[in-house]
Amino acid sequence: MQPVTVITGTMAPLYRADVDTDQIMPKQFLKRVERTGFGQFVFHDWREDPDFVLNDQRYASATVLVTGPNFGSGSSREHAPWGLQQHGFEAIIAPSFADIFKTNCAKNGLLTVELDDDHIRELVALAHADPAAQIRIDLPEQTVESAAGVARFDIDAHTKHMLVAGLDPIGLTLQHQTRIGEFEARRLAHRPTTA
Amino acid sequence: MSGPRSLLEKVWDQHVVTAEAGGDPALLYVDLHLLHEVTSPQAFDGLRLAGRGVRRPDLTLATMDHNVPTTDPSVPVDDELSAKQMRVLADNCAEFGIPLLPRGSANQGIVHMVGPELGLTQPGMTVVCGDSHTATHGAFGALAFGIGTSEIEHVLATQTLWQAKPKTMAVEIEGRAPFGVTAKDLILAVIAEIGVSGGAGHVIEYRGEAVASLSMEGRMTVCNMSIEGGARAGMIAPDETTFAWLEGRPHAPGAHADGSASFDAAVEAWRELPTDAGATFDRVVRLNAATFQPTVTWGTTPGQSVPVSGRVPRPEHTGDAEQARRALTYMGLDGGEAITDIPIDRVFLGSCTNARLSDLRAAARVVTGRRVADNVRAMVVPGSTLVKAQAEAEGLDRVFTEAGFEWRQAGCSMCLGMNPDVLAPGERCASTSNRNFEGRQGKGGRTHLVSPEMAAAAALAGHFVDVRDDPRAGDATEARDTRGA
């Protein structure tokens, strides 16, 4: 995975609550067996509305999506973060994220930033007023800088480390193979197998 | 580790490979990894790319459910992409030695039906699957949650996951559910109370008289929709109901002749799992089932619901008027309508939430000897091939077909509309599934979530009706025990 450190660019404002993964990546696009090619389908049904923000060319190259609370609720489909990332987003800023979605983003190097609602509304207003307004997210420093000011965000130390170093989590875990083997040796006898 | 612990903490402690330390999460062992065709192909590709194998194919099981047509399984799948996804799953399972229940097999079904039916889902286990409704398995006192494709690859390679210990939430539901109020209404009431993100960061333990008195199947319905309240997992303490349901199932302890473990010894261990007296939770929510009513969603999140006797709210009377306005526009409603005045076009009786045998029996009780309303197209999709066979042995298929319902093969079907079973734009559906998101059951389709009894009654009337006016609807919490089937 590519390391994630500093993200710069412009914002796409989509202030809606509870945006679910069915909207981010509708089910008809989950039939692909590849990991790529999802960018064009992101928010497919909403994009039929000509006024939808991503149809506005001024937001077409935004790298940061600024959105409402509980973003990514619903299904565990990783196709949702794949689509957002392949569309060109490098970070999503929201007051809160759904748990599975947030984990899926971290595994793909798509940064999720939680900020308080007041600051997000300022960012949304800024992006509406000036689509070219710049934003800078510094993951090592845990800051978001824009004309709306500087805001600090929290992120758990493990996720931050994995992102900044661009580590392969499976490779890391395989270093613990001995411990896993020891655990397996002491598992309860009545646990079933699928064989 | 000393002191009173909750069910979650006990299951957690039993699965820690390396403990949380220095900001790092715990490495948690996975007892059962369930796979299906939609979220796994890229995980297998990742393994091949890195030259890695599957650590424990014998703790892994795959089935085909999301894409499968619900028509004759001997007829090839028309949709090329769907057919390819199923073929890729079969190839991957063959390559890595993973047991597979393909389309057409006697044990095929929705992945969250299959684990419990085979006795693979047991108290105290950790269960993961690339599907958010994995929470279903928590009904057995297992810690079960949905994961994405990257984590599927991680579990395939290592049989573990890095997990920060979640917070705990007790949802205490005292009292008994009144006549006509089902497990579905219980969980819709919980979601209405805590909100669609209220459980974020938490594992819910459902407790109290109303929960303990539920059958296993009702408990699965409740845990299934934990994710609709934002919680990755929901759990219910195992008890006699759990043990009785499990005993004698193909993979239950004692079922194998190798003498590896007796059922009684397992039960003895399972009895240690329930939350200790004096254990504390990070959050406690108290509800009284006596106040619950049959519930109908009116909007585009599972939290947007009202009792059947109520009216669709006006946006200005909701917490987020703008969101409610968007939802009502999508749903083709103005706000203020009586729920029982809303006409429907379609009925879907199915999904991992409500397509077990007791659900079909309850709906059949309402339907027997009656006819689906003109202009309504109604469909029953059993959750698994086993449930379908059991229902047919009881003659439930004839009850439904004689009333004008379609009787289909098992699968996820119109819960998410990845197969040909979809709503047309603007069609309004009474559905026993779990999500009423925009386009969930088909682009432009309008979904109202209800219990099986309510769906059946709506099919007959052509609009929502209060099942409590129908003595046949039965008291679901009393009558729904399918152990004898």
Side-chain angles (χ1 to χ4, degrees):
Chain A
M1 199 168 68
Q2 291 295 313
V4 179
T5 51
V6 175
I7 292 165
T8 55
T10 58
M11 297 174 276
L14 178 65
Y15 196 87
R16 290 180 188 177
D18 305 321
V19 173
D20 59 75
T21 55
D22 275 74
Q23 309 317 314
I24 301 170
M25 190 55 59
K27 79 302 227 55
Q28 63 266 36
F29 307 114
L30 308 186
K31 294 184 182 184
R32 301 170 58 79
V33 296
E34 300 82 14
R35 214 179 176 110
T36 51
F38 291 97
Q40 59 187 310
F41 305 127
V42 78
F43 294 113
H44 177 271
D45 292 2
W46 285 0
R47 293 182 81 159
E48 291 186 358
D49 171 4
D51 294 332
F52 185 66
V53 61
L54 295 188
N55 289 331
D56 185 332
Q57 281 311 305
R58 297 172 302 164
Y59 298 107
S61 57
T63 52
V64 178
L65 181 67
V66 186
T67 186
N70 194 32
F71 186 81
S73 58
S75 155
S76 65
R77 58 189 71 167
E78 202 161 306
H79 315 66
W82 293 337
L84 289 163
Q85 200 168 36
Q86 290 160 21
H87 174 81
F89 291 118
E90 296 172 33
I92 307 168
I93 300 178
S96 61
F97 293 91
D99 289 346
I100 303 176
F101 177 81
K102 190 170 149 180
T103 305
N104 287 344
C105 287
K107 302 296 177 194
N108 288 280
L110 177 58
L111 182 62
T112 55
V113 174
E114 283 159 280
L115 290 180
D116 73 61
D117 198 49
D118 290 342
H119 194 83
I120 285 174
R121 285 173 189 271
E122 286 180 40
L123 292 177
V124 167
L126 175 64
H128 277 300
D130 177 11
Q134 292 291 307
I135 187 163
R136 180 179 188 277
I137 304 174
D138 187 322
L139 175 56
E141 294 298 318
Q142 297 179 218
T143 54
V144 175
E145 276 183 75
S146 70
V150 180
R152 248 192 93 72
F153 64 92
D154 287 328
I155 183 167
D156 75 87
H158 177 75
T159 302
K160 178 179 171 179
H161 174 66
M162 296 296 287
L163 288 171
V164 171
L167 293 176
D168 164 26
I170 298 177
L172 190 74
T173 309
L174 289 172
Q175 295 171 13
H176 295 271
Q177 286 208 70
T178 312
R179 299 285 296 274
I180 297 170
E182 286 164 5
F183 180 90
E184 285 173 330
R186 64 174 190 270
R187 277 180 84 224
L188 294 171
H190 61 75
R191 299 274 193 240
T193 70
T194 57
Chain B
M1 301 267 275
S2 58
R5 289 180 300 162
S6 67
L7 168 62
L8 167 73
E9 288 161 332
K10 293 181 191 187
V11 178
W12 181 273
D13 290 346
Q14 283 186 5
H15 291 86
V16 172
V17 176
T18 66
E20 286 179 288
D24 280 344
L27 188 62
L28 211 62
Y29 198 79
V30 173
D31 287 320
L32 178 63
H33 186 194
L34 299 167
L35 298 170
H36 62 84
E37 75 277 19
V38 174
T39 55
S40 65
Q42 297 87 352
F44 284 107
D45 279 346
L47 288 182
R48 274 188 290 266
L49 207 62
R52 291 169 177 150
V54 174
R55 183 179 180 91
R56 295 297 300 265
D58 62 328
L59 302 183
T60 311
L61 178 70
T63 190
M64 298 174 181
D65 57 3
H66 281 63
N67 264 307
V68 295
T70 52
T71 45
D72 184 352
S74 64
V75 175
V77 178
D78 279 343
D79 181 327
E80 274 179 36
L81 286 174
S82 292
K84 182 177 179 190
Q85 239 177 13
M86 289 182 236
R87 199 167 58 240
V88 166
L89 178 66
D91 291 347
N92 284 328
C93 287
E95 180 180 343
F96 292 97
I98 294 167
L100 168 69
L101 305 170
R103 176 171 183 245
S105 115
N107 287 315
Q108 174 271 343
I110 305 175
V111 65
H112 310 308
M113 303 283 296
V114 165
E117 278 175 356
L118 292 175
L120 282 168
T121 304
Q122 297 175 13
M125 287 174 59
T126 47
V127 181
V128 301
C129 173
D131 188 280
S132 61
H133 292 110
T134 308
T136 312
H137 307 262
F140 291 82
L143 172 59
F145 52 90
I147 57 178
T149 300
S150 294
E151 289 194 319
I152 294 173
E153 185 181 339
H154 191 280
V155 177
L156 287 170
T158 70
Q159 203 59 30
T160 62
L161 274 178
W162 294 102
Q163 289 289 301
K165 195 169 181 177
K167 287 187 255 182
T168 55
M169 180 191 293
V171 172
E172 303 256 7
I173 313 178
E174 293 309 324
R176 294 293 284 247
F179 174 81
V181 173
T182 70
K184 181 65 158 287
D185 304 303
L186 250 63
I187 188 60
L188 286 171
V190 170
I191 296 164
E193 173 69 22
I194 68 173
V196 291
S197 60
H202 292 75
V203 167
I204 297 176
E205 182 182 335
Y206 302 96
R207 300 160 58 84
E209 185 190 0
V211 176
S213 61
L214 287 172
S215 69
M216 263 338 285
E217 304 206 339
R219 294 179 190 188
M220 285 188 256
T221 299
V222 169
C223 288
N224 172 273
M225 289 186 68
S226 299
I227 186 70
E228 266 55 71
R232 214 167 169 182
M235 304 174 85
I236 294 173
D239 60 9
E240 299 308 319
T241 303
T242 321
F243 310 147
W245 202 90
L246 276 168
E247 188 167 15
R249 291 188 182 266
H251 289 268
H256 284 299
D258 63 4
S260 57
S262 77
F263 189 76
D264 290 347
V267 167
E268 205 173 308
W270 295 340
R271 285 191 203 285
E272 301 295 319
L273 290 169
T275 295
D276 296 326
T280 56
F281 293 86
D282 295 304
R283 187 177 166 198
V284 178
V285 174
R286 290 197 169 80
L287 296 164
N288 190 336
T291 66
F292 292 173
Q293 299 187 48
T295 299
V296 181
T297 64
W298 54 265
T300 55
T301 79
Q304 292 172 322
S305 67
V306 287
V308 62
S309 60
R311 289 177 177 274
V312 177
R314 297 186 189 282
E316 59 272 25
H317 297 151
T318 66
D320 184 338
E322 197 183 315
Q323 188 186 22
R325 212 166 281 123
R326 266 191 64 84
L328 289 176
T329 302
Y330 180 84
M331 293 297 289
L333 297 167
D334 298 322
E337 297 93 337
I339 291 290
T340 50
D341 285 343
I342 299 175
I344 55 159
D345 309 299
R346 303 283 296 268
V347 170
F348 174 64
L349 235 159
S351 86
C352 58
T353 309
N354 272 135
R356 285 171 273 272
L357 187 56
S358 58
D359 297 315
L360 304 190
R361 282 177 176 162
R365 274 201 303 278
V366 176
V367 165
T368 303
R370 299 173 174 173
R371 287 287 306 170
V372 170
D374 295 342
N375 308 324
V376 172
R377 182 178 166 199
M379 180 187 280
V380 185
V381 181
S384 69
T385 305
L386 184 64
V387 162
K388 177 170 179 284
Q390 289 172 322
E392 287 170 356
E394 293 181 14
L396 299 186
D397 57 325
R398 287 193 304 282
V399 170
F400 285 114
T401 53
E402 282 165 14
F405 282 81
E406 296 169 32
W407 178 254
R408 298 300 197 101
Q409 301 288 325
C412 297
S413 177
M414 211 164 71
C415 176
L416 87 165
M418 277 193 75
N419 76 349
D421 307 337
V422 290
L423 297 180
E427 278 191 324
R428 188 181 298 285
C429 181
S431 177
T432 67
S433 56
N434 41 55
R435 288 190 175 134
N436 49 345
F437 296 157
E438 290 182 30
R440 174 79 178 177
Q441 295 193 290
K443 196 168 157 187
R446 294 160 174 164
T447 302
H448 297 268
L449 304 177
V450 289
S451 72
E453 289 88 330
M454 286 284 290
L460 305 175
H463 55 85
F464 290 107
V465 292
D466 190 337
V467 285
R468 293 171 300 183
D469 298 336
D470 181 350
R472 287 203 223 165
D475 182 341
T477 57
E478 300 272 333
R480 285 164 169 248
D481 186 356
T482 64
R483 181 57 190 154

